[in-house]
Amino acid sequence: MSNMMRDSQIVAQTEDETLGYISDMALELAQMAEDTGLATLAYLFRMAALEASTADSVLAEPDNLPQQMTSH
């Protein structure tokens, strides 16, 4: 395996872990905001968590991206 391929796999893995961490943290912050009565802030954190988890699944399946773009 070439160094470049290995490096890109490490980067992708690190990005997955980072996005997973961001998603978890955003959900925790949303819960804290909810407990404090800050519903709007809780909503924003939940949206951030959703964005992070969505980006995570897109990165995990890079083959799907070009097909989606050319399908229409």
Side-chain angles (χ1 to χ4, degrees):
M1 186 186 308
S2 73
N3 281 346
M4 209 164 135
M5 277 179 66
R6 194 178 65 230
D7 289 349
S8 66
Q9 283 181 336
I10 290 168
V11 168
Q13 185 180 353
T14 305
E15 285 177 3
D16 285 352
E17 289 169 6
T18 303
L19 286 166
Y21 173 76
I22 291 170
S23 182
D24 292 346
M25 284 305 297
L27 287 173
E28 281 185 39
L29 289 166
Q31 189 58 56
M32 282 189 229
E34 224 165 57
D35 294 345
T36 321
L38 303 170
T40 305
L41 193 58
Y43 172 78
L44 291 174
F45 280 126
R46 290 194 192 287
M47 289 297 102
L50 184 63
E51 282 292 322
S53 64
T54 303
D56 197 5
S57 64
V58 169
L59 278 179
E61 302 165 13
D63 295 342
N64 292 347
L65 203 56
Q67 291 167 359
Q68 288 171 357
M69 290 169 72
T70 55
S71 64
H72 48 119

